Amino acid sequence: FESRFDLPHIRDLFPNASPIPSTFCLRMRTPTEDFAGGYPSDEKWHGYINNNDRVLLKVIRYSSPTSAGAECIDPDCTWVEQWVHRAGPREKIYFQPEEVKAAIVTCGGLCPGLNDVIRHIVITLEIYGVKKIVGIPFGYRGFSNEGLTEMPLSRKVVQNIHLSGGSLLGVSRGGPPISDIVDNMKKREINMLFVLGGNGTHAGANAIHNECRKRGLKVAVVGVPKTIDNDILLMDKTFGFDTAVEEAQRAINSAYIEAHSAYHGIGIVKLMGRSSGFIAMHASLASGQIDICLIPEVPFDLHGPLGVLRHLKYLIETKGSAVVCVAEGAGQDFLEKTNTKDASGNIVLSDIGVHIQQETKKYFKDIGIPADVKYIDPTYMIRACRANASDGILCTVLGQNAVHGAFAGYSGITVGICNTHYVYFPIPEVISYPRAVDPNSRMWHRCLTSTGQPDFI
Ligand code: ATP
Ligand code: MG
């Protein structure tokens, strides 16, 4: 089975690079071997992944082009098969553990699970026998000449970091040019770089990988996609998303209680999702307490006869209360463009939550119906949470596989979960554009069924 994607490999750059047999899976460790306190003595990996192992990327078979969801496919080709590289430890590795200096960097905004991934990268590197592991402080900025010093990492340092949210290393947006980053990496003798971040960070990681290739440096750059919005292509989900949905549900529940307990109460909750409404859609589905879910992918009218405000009036008259959930990137057309950009070049969005709150208050005042409007923005509370159990597992496996990928000699790749299996993708394939909710998908239709909302256009 051919993979849909070729993974860039150190071998392409150094055709004579000879692989080294991995001792990772075969060696039994004694508690005293690596650090005081020790590993469990039975720590052992059970077998290797073959480079030719593949995971099925697409597994749907439409029996007819009229099946829901099959509209966009070619009627003559209802059976789609695409395979991608399976992640995991390889029998042959391309770095001697003692020659490795590994660095970890976390960029962009906070996301539940960052510490879990850092922890597992460090632990897995140590199991391979790597002694030099450092954390780069405050994202790519830590590679600048601002005098930010790297943080030595070991199992001892990271042992309990997953018990709290945030990032042990700190995060930032912006940072030095790519050539300065590679200069800095060279100065610090870093030859394995693990990059945790979203689309922007991965674009940076790929640029670092290309610059290293251009300079002929034997460096492995491996990404772990961090996007709470779940907007990375081809993956089942990204870490932090599950936790975000769970926490968002709590905010929705509070809004529901507020709205339900007030006379003509209306609760409005703004959730993350700059360009895709996965959190809003999933939290609406999970909570079962949302009457109106608004996402960036689905345009809506606010004031018109079919608009959101008219529907709110109907809900107040029939149910007595209502709860609205809106993704931060929704309805940006109604707002004045800020034209402001953050340090990474992302456009700063105007606040749609506050806008809907103000317009709702004004509307009910104008039509002479009392309404008690409450607005909740749980964004920063959600971002700072520690990962829940399911994200904890995802982070563990992603962290381990990132290290296996680097040792296997791949660079310019990222790790992910695809149809419940763990895989490697070349970075450009997953960041060419943000993944979005398909308004024709069954999931969005299920969400509409659950909220009972009409089309607002
Ligand atoms: P989040 O999901 O939190 O937005 P992100 O990774 O997209 O995560 P950004 O702030 O957009 O966060 O970018 C993070 C880092 O990546 C910044 O340091 C930024 O300078 C760098 N970066 C962003 N876009 C690019 C790009 N196209 N090329 C190189 N570097 C980039
Ligand atoms: Mg981004």
Side-chain angles (χ1 to χ4, degrees):
F1 296 102
E2 274 310 300
S3 167
R4 179 174 163 196
F5 309 119
D6 281 337
L7 299 181
H9 195 277
I10 294 283
R11 212 175 26 227
D12 311 339
L13 194 60
F14 302 97
N16 298 329
S18 49
I20 312 148
S22 170
T23 53
F24 173 65
C25 306
L26 302 177
R27 214 165 83 209
M28 294 285 279
R29 289 179 172 273
T30 60
T32 52
E33 203 172 340
D34 283 285
F35 88 115
Y39 300 118
S41 61
D42 61 348
E43 201 157 77
K44 191 170 100 171
W45 193 265
H46 302 278
Y48 301 106
I49 302 296
N50 189 296
N51 277 344
N52 297 319
D53 286 0
R54 298 287 181 266
V55 168
L56 195 53
L57 179 67
K58 288 198 174 167
V59 283
I60 194 155
R61 180 169 189 162
Y62 301 106
S63 62
S64 142
T66 57
S67 300
E71 296 87 353
C72 50
I73 65 157
D74 176 354
D76 300 326
C77 176
T78 50
W79 176 241
V80 186
E81 233 188 50
Q82 284 172 351
W83 301 85
V84 287
H85 290 256
R86 191 175 167 211
R90 303 301 203 252
E91 199 167 0
K92 296 280 166 51
I93 54 177
Y94 279 78
F95 288 87
Q96 293 277 10
E98 51 276 16
E99 80 183 17
V100 170
K101 178 170 176 187
I104 308 171
V105 63
T106 55
C107 313
L110 288 182
C111 175
L114 278 169
N115 280 336
D116 302 60
V117 179
I118 296 170
R119 180 173 182 269
H120 268 278
I121 290 175
V122 172
I123 289 172
T124 312
L125 283 165
E126 280 203 353
I127 295 173
Y128 268 99
V130 178
K131 300 278 188 262
K132 286 175 276 179
I133 311 169
V134 296
I136 303 299
F138 303 108
Y140 288 139
R141 200 172 165 170
F143 284 119
S144 66
N145 299 320
E146 287 180 53
L148 295 165
T149 46
E150 59 193 31
M151 182 192 290
L153 297 175
S154 64
R155 184 171 183 138
K156 211 167 173 179
V157 174
V158 300
Q159 186 60 40
N160 294 317
I161 61 170
H162 61 306
L163 301 181
S164 61
S167 165
L168 172 75
L169 309 175
V171 290
S172 75
R173 300 195 188 271
I178 297 300
S179 62
D180 290 10
I181 294 178
V182 177
D183 287 347
N184 195 280
M185 283 173 61
K186 209 172 156 202
K187 198 169 90 192
R188 297 176 193 221
E189 299 178 332
I190 292 165
N191 55 2
M192 257 186 206
L193 180 64
F194 298 96
V195 181
L196 283 55
N199 274 300
T201 308
H202 273 72
N206 201 50
I208 294 170
H209 157 72
N210 286 331
E211 181 67 19
C212 289
R213 296 213 132 187
K214 210 171 87 190
R215 298 192 193 184
L217 302 174
K218 189 185 172 191
V219 174
V221 183
V222 177
V224 183
K226 171 235 65 167
T227 154
I228 203 162
D229 296 352
N230 204 26
D231 58 357
I232 298 263
L233 294 172
L234 304 174
M235 298 181 186
D236 296 358
K237 63 173 180 177
T238 47
F239 75 82
F241 175 68
D242 252 15
T243 309
V245 171
E246 201 169 297
E247 291 303 316
Q249 222 192 136
R250 279 188 234 284
I252 289 173
N253 188 242
S254 303
Y256 175 83
I257 291 170
E258 285 287 348
H260 207 64
S261 309
Y263 177 63
H264 286 181
I266 297 175
I268 299 166
V269 183
K270 186 181 77 172
L271 295 172
M272 290 84 73
R274 287 178 60 86
S275 53
S276 53
F278 288 104
I279 294 183
M281 176 174 77
H282 282 245
S284 298
L285 277 162
S287 73
Q289 293 175 316
I290 291 293
D291 299 294
I292 299 175
C293 175
L294 304 171
I295 61 173
E297 296 87 339
V298 180
F300 59 90
D301 186 15
L302 210 49
H303 291 277
L306 298 174
V308 171
L309 296 173
R310 193 66 77 86
H311 188 60
L312 275 175
K313 174 173 174 272
Y314 166 79
L315 290 169
I316 290 296
E317 285 168 348
T318 52
K319 286 178 63 181
S321 67
V323 188
V324 181
C325 159
V326 56
E328 64 179 317
Q332 289 294 309
D333 298 347
F334 303 129
L335 308 168
E336 211 158 299
K337 299 260 176 304
T338 62
N339 284 329
T340 323
K341 291 190 175 170
D342 68 15
S344 297
N346 305 306
I347 290 170
V348 176
L349 298 178
S350 304
D351 197 326
I352 184 67
V354 170
H355 181 73
I356 292 181
Q357 177 199 25
Q358 287 167 349
E359 292 303 304
T360 305
K361 280 184 177 172
K362 215 160 89 205
Y363 172 78
F364 280 93
K365 194 166 165 223
D366 289 351
I367 59 172
I369 297 177
D372 196 347
V373 186
K374 307 256 170 56
Y375 174 53
I376 298 180
D377 179 355
T379 304
Y380 289 103
M381 297 193 70
I382 295 176
R383 283 191 186 282
C385 276
R386 65 173 273 199
N388 68 9
S390 112
D391 273 330
I393 296 168
L394 181 59
C395 291
T396 300
V397 185
L398 294 176
Q400 290 177 355
N401 280 332
V403 177
H404 294 318
F407 266 99
Y410 296 121
S411 178
I413 62 156
T414 193
V415 293
I417 182 165
C418 178
N419 292 319
T420 72
H421 295 283
Y422 293 88
V423 297
Y424 296 133
F425 291 108
I427 290 175
E429 299 297 340
V430 298
I431 59 161
S432 44
Y433 54 92
R435 187 159 83 104
V437 172
D438 176 0
N440 291 316
S441 65
R442 291 293 304 134
M443 212 52 170
W444 178 243
H445 293 162
R446 289 176 190 125
C447 184
L448 295 180
T449 307
S450 131
T451 59
Q453 74 196 62
D455 285 342
F456 293 116
I457 230 125

